[in-house]
Amino acid sequence: MKRAWLKVGLLLISLILLICPAAFAQAPANTKPLVIGMELNYPPFEMTDQSGTPTGVGVDMAHALGDFLHRPITIENMPFEGLIPALKTNRIDLIISSMTATDERRKSITFSDPYLSTGLSILVQKKSTIQNIGDVDKQGMTVVVKIGTTSADYARDHFKNATVLAFPQDTTCALEVVQGKADAFLYDQMSIYQFAKKHSDTTRGLLEPFQKESWAIGIRQGNAELENQVNAFLRDFKAHKGFDALGDKYLKEDKEAFKQMGYPFYF
């Protein structure tokens, strides 16, 4: 009798597998690539190496995020000002591009928890009389900013007297100061430090931030599942000293310089 019931059971299982072979299959992993947008023109955070391969702090973060979520990633390189439109139109899934989380941008997209603290600083000519942001907005002053950045927003909202010029590349902005065509370049603290170091014979950096900011990962509005996954990754990455490792890998010299100058490091 038991043997008969066993035969019936095996027959039923065979019929189920024949009709629906996926009934006992394991749910497949999410193999759809996570498309991450960034502007690969911002070393050492987002850039390319000599072979054209994406590299840098943000790129390593993107790969670590893909590993955490068990998903392949695809990096889309595009101009900074095109990142939010690309996210809103589903061309990309996330933005990892040293983007400051602002109230204005939150009207269009959602941001993760912050992963880096920074601020806006000033690059000036070496012999300039400018000492702080209060010295910049004056008649006869020319200020340069990068299009689409919070420094451009700051100049638009606060400056009434200085002439403000906007350029698509930060290197162009810095060159305006180096060549004496502009009196000041407003940009993030790390970049101002890098430009002042590179052009130490003609410029100096006023590194004390006149506006404090934080960077976060951009997420399309309404995607709560991905937002939770990204925040879980950031907590895990920080707990496992991932940001410390990135600082040592890409910013070790700068990390030590900031320590000597008394400025807190970013991560």
Side-chain angles (χ1 to χ4, degrees):
M1 187 69 177
K2 288 182 180 180
R3 187 174 299 175
W5 280 112
L6 178 60
K7 290 181 179 180
V8 172
L10 291 173
L11 180 61
L12 287 173
I13 291 174
S14 299
L15 287 172
I16 291 172
L17 288 173
L18 181 64
I19 297 170
C20 185
F24 291 94
Q26 188 176 5
N30 188 351
T31 58
K32 182 181 179 181
L34 190 66
V35 184
I36 299 176
M38 58 180 70
E39 182 186 46
L40 294 173
N41 190 33
Y42 187 60
F45 289 91
E46 293 87 29
M47 56 188 178
T48 56
D49 61 19
Q50 292 182 343
S51 65
T53 302
T55 187
V57 174
V59 175
D60 283 10
M61 277 182 58
H63 286 291
L65 173 61
D67 291 342
F68 182 82
L69 298 179
H70 305 291
R71 291 183 64 177
I73 68 161
T74 299
I75 292 176
E76 285 284 340
N77 181 22
M78 60 186 66
F80 190 83
E81 62 270 22
L83 289 169
I84 289 179
L87 182 65
K88 293 172 66 176
T89 55
N90 299 317
R91 178 178 171 185
I92 59 177
D93 299 309
L94 294 171
I95 298 171
I96 301 180
S97 195
S98 304
M99 180 171 282
T100 301
T102 68
D103 291 339
E104 183 64 28
R105 287 170 177 160
R106 284 191 179 92
K107 295 177 183 178
S108 299
I109 65 174
T110 297
F111 281 105
S112 70
D113 295 336
Y115 64 84
L116 182 146
S117 298
T118 183
L120 296 181
S121 298
I122 314 170
L123 183 73
V124 299
Q125 296 165 26
K126 195 157 191 175
K127 296 181 180 180
S128 172
T129 59
I130 296 173
Q131 298 298 323
N132 53 55
I133 194 64
D135 296 332
V136 178
D137 186 26
K138 294 180 179 179
Q139 291 287 345
M141 289 284 185
T142 299
V143 182
V144 288
V145 294
K146 181 181 177 182
I147 295 171
T149 63
T150 54
S151 55
D153 295 339
Y154 184 94
R156 178 198 64 207
D157 296 339
H158 294 86
F159 287 180
K160 308 299 179 185
N161 301 302
T163 298
V164 179
L165 303 177
F167 296 95
Q169 301 296 334
D170 55 4
T171 50
T172 304
C173 294
L175 194 60
E176 291 289 298
V177 177
V178 170
Q179 295 178 344
K181 298 177 182 178
D183 298 287
F185 170 32
L186 312 184
Y187 207 33
D188 71 90
Q189 187 186 40
M190 171 60 72
S191 295
I192 293 299
Y193 168 73
Q194 295 284 354
F195 283 126
K197 183 172 66 172
K198 182 177 180 180
H199 304 287
S200 59
D201 55 334
T202 55
T203 69
R204 58 188 174 90
L206 305 178
L207 297 179
E208 184 67 38
F210 61 85
Q211 176 172 283
K212 293 186 177 180
E213 300 178 339
S214 61
W215 294 352
I217 297 174
I219 308 162
R220 194 159 38 251
Q221 288 182 342
N223 197 340
E225 180 181 6
L226 186 55
E227 179 184 356
N228 291 334
Q229 291 174 341
V230 168
N231 284 333
F233 158 73
L234 290 174
R235 290 191 296 269
D236 182 80
F237 197 64
K238 183 175 182 179
H240 289 87
K241 307 297 183 183
F243 290 112
D244 292 337
L246 290 181
D248 290 338
K249 180 179 179 180
Y250 292 103
L251 299 159
K252 191 168 186 177
E253 181 181 337
D254 302 339
K255 191 175 181 179
E256 182 58 33
F258 270 59
K259 181 179 179 180
Q260 291 179 6
M261 291 185 291
Y263 293 116
F265 199 61
Y266 303 100
F267 298 120

